[in-house]
Amino acid sequence: MDGHQSTIEVEGPVARAQLSLFLVTCWVTLVIFIIVGSVLAYATIRFKARTQADEHAEQPPQGHGNPLIELSLIGASVLALVIIAVPTLRDIRYTYDVPAGLKGDAYQVTATGYQWWFKFDYPSEQISGVGPLNTGDELVIPAGRPIHIDLRSVDVMHSFWVPKLAGKVDMIPNRANFLWLEADHPGYYWGQCAEYCGESHAVMRFRVIALAPREFEEWLDNQLQPARSVPVRSTAGAEPTAQFAALREFSQNETGSSGVFDNPSVPPLDAWRAKQFVDKGEDPALIARGKLLFAGPASEGGKTCGSCHTIRGVAGAVGSQGPDLTHVGARTTLAGSWIDNTPEQMRRWIHNPEAVKPGNKMWVNGYQLNHITLTPDDEVALVAFLQSLK
Ligand code: CUA
């Protein structure tokens, strides 16, 4: 009842309206169940054949066509339906779009479904020469403000669902669906694609992070910046830092199959906030090597990652097939929010994408098509570079 994707513990007005409608329906049907069940139980016990003679006795007189009983049953059914219909019609209207009185305050976002991740565009945050700010996997919104979300799909049908904030609405190719939601207070919410969309449908997830207005503005300010650049110091090439040294020791076999920490020890919003800060002990030389692998020319060992992913401010990283990674180091999840964005999980993801999210485009159109191979050192360098993008 109180899981991350509970529809019973709701935290926004849209989900609350839907929950109250669900409960009204439950109570009405519970009353019907009790009445019908009682009559059935009474008739079964009272008129049971108790002896051999009862079984062969003549049938008692059969009643039918009693206008009073029939009209009462029709009237009771209509009443039950009206009790359900009135709040249903009211809430269909309420949940359809941001209420007129709140429209002026609504924040606008576009969510687009891809096989198998969600892209979020912020049309009111334009970056000159690029277009709207966009992120992958994680939708950051201001708390206490209605959010109007346009729903799009680039391939097949998906469905947008944040159980604690609002019911699901399908994302259909060539159809302009939308929904609205609002988070009562700052929080970290689990979302899920709710329409079967191919082999990795079950791991097509996302997160919604609701922030107080000022923190949201700070987040926007940082997101609008181009990618963080770590200058190579004169001590470049020295010993790798402790963190990435540990990553070198990391074995692919020790990671388990899930990589999702559904019950973290730190409150998830605090974990998200911690991800906004630069890691201590970065290794600038390692990061520079990762950058070259990501976006550098093939003649210098580049792995063509930049032909599918944009990293604003990094020449050679301008693709739009995959998520924009300009600030990927500041996200808490990866790969359609299926795994946590830790260095270990990120390395596991780029080591063998097919094992993490079967059928994904990075594997099929990237690794396989372009015969990309990564050495363990390549993987560690790429992780160091991507984690530095705060
Ligand atoms: Cu997208 Cu299921």
Side-chain angles (χ1 to χ4, degrees):
M1 289 287 193
D2 62 352
H4 296 309
Q5 299 192 170
S6 170
T7 53
I8 306 292
E9 287 201 344
V10 295
E11 295 185 31
V14 176
R16 199 171 298 118
Q18 288 161 336
L19 175 62
S20 68
L21 183 56
F22 169 73
L23 291 175
V24 165
T25 312
C26 279
W27 287 119
V28 169
T29 47
L30 183 67
V31 169
I32 294 173
F33 173 77
I34 289 171
I35 294 172
V36 173
S38 308
V39 172
L40 181 65
Y42 172 77
T44 305
I45 294 163
R46 169 74 180 74
F47 300 107
K48 190 171 187 274
R50 288 189 169 76
T51 62
Q52 199 79 3
D54 281 351
E55 276 178 31
H56 298 290
E58 238 174 69
Q59 280 197 344
Q62 300 293 298
H64 61 86
N66 184 325
L68 183 64
I69 291 178
E70 288 184 5
L71 284 174
S72 306
L73 287 175
I74 292 170
S77 307
V78 169
L79 183 67
L81 289 174
V82 167
I83 291 172
I84 294 173
V86 169
T88 300
L89 293 170
R90 186 196 60 207
D91 287 348
I92 285 175
R93 192 183 152 85
Y94 176 71
T95 59
Y96 178 69
D97 199 359
V98 181
L102 300 173
K103 270 233 161 76
D105 191 36
Y107 191 75
Q108 182 77 34
V109 182
T110 303
T112 307
Y114 287 69
Q115 284 173 314
W116 291 279
W117 58 283
F118 290 88
K119 176 183 167 194
F120 302 106
D121 283 285
Y122 294 75
S124 47
E125 322 298 338
Q126 293 289 331
I127 302 165
S128 71
V130 178
L133 170 70
N134 75 84
T135 68
D137 294 343
E138 298 187 356
L139 170 63
V140 180
I141 57 170
R145 245 178 106 176
I147 315 292
H148 176 102
I149 307 179
D150 282 315
L151 302 171
R152 303 287 184 266
S153 171
V154 295
D155 36 48
V156 300
M157 275 175 68
H158 302 277
S159 181
F160 182 95
W161 190 30
V162 197
K164 289 193 173 197
L165 299 182
K168 56 191 86 158
V169 174
D170 277 356
M171 312 167 100
I172 302 173
N174 297 317
R175 186 184 159 92
N177 276 356
F178 58 87
L179 59 69
W180 79 281
L181 53 75
E182 182 178 324
D184 291 334
H185 46 73
Y188 185 95
Y189 303 98
W190 271 246
Q192 169 84 48
C193 176
E195 175 69 50
Y196 180 70
C197 57
E199 60 188 312
S200 279
H201 154 72
V203 300
M204 181 173 171
R205 296 172 149 199
F206 63 104
R207 300 285 191 271
V208 176
I209 294 107
L211 302 174
R214 178 181 291 185
E215 194 179 7
F216 175 69
E217 292 298 329
E218 285 170 8
W219 176 82
L220 275 182
D221 286 346
N222 185 54
Q223 291 287 310
L224 289 165
Q225 301 298 316
R228 180 171 163 261
S229 176
V230 181
V232 181
R233 294 187 300 243
S234 54
T235 53
E239 284 296 297
T241 62
Q243 180 192 2
F244 295 124
L247 194 58
R248 277 171 211 277
E249 303 296 318
F250 162 81
S251 158
Q252 295 298 331
N253 300 327
E254 288 168 13
T255 56
S257 58
S258 163
V260 196
F261 308 114
D262 273 340
N263 294 300
S265 51
V266 182
L269 188 58
D270 291 348
W272 181 87
R273 287 186 175 120
K275 285 295 282 183
Q276 308 309 304
F277 294 103
V278 172
D279 294 330
K280 290 196 185 79
E282 288 184 322
D283 179 349
L286 193 62
I287 290 170
R289 179 165 147 66
K291 189 173 178 178
L292 189 69
L293 287 165
F294 192 96
S299 58
E300 291 175 36
K303 301 292 182 183
T304 69
C305 312
S307 59
C308 289
H309 293 283
T310 291
I311 297 181
R312 273 183 287 120
V314 174
V318 292
S320 58
Q321 295 276 307
D324 184 311
L325 301 179
T326 306
H327 297 280
V328 68
R331 297 179 196 154
T332 49
T333 59
L334 293 172
S337 290
W338 176 230
I339 53 175
D340 280 18
N341 186 15
T342 61
E344 294 77 18
Q345 292 299 330
M346 181 182 259
R347 185 176 168 196
R348 174 174 163 245
W349 170 223
I350 62 177
H351 172 75
N352 186 355
E354 178 72 0
V356 173
K357 192 166 70 167
N360 72 85
K361 300 275 191 299
M362 179 157 86
W363 174 252
V364 177
N365 296 349
Y367 285 49
Q368 285 197 314
L369 205 61
N370 300 320
H371 308 291
I372 294 171
T373 53
L374 300 172
T375 66
D377 281 348
D378 290 345
E379 290 170 11
V380 173
L382 279 165
V383 169
F385 167 55
L386 293 170
Q387 291 294 330
S388 78
L389 302 174
K390 295 295 183 178

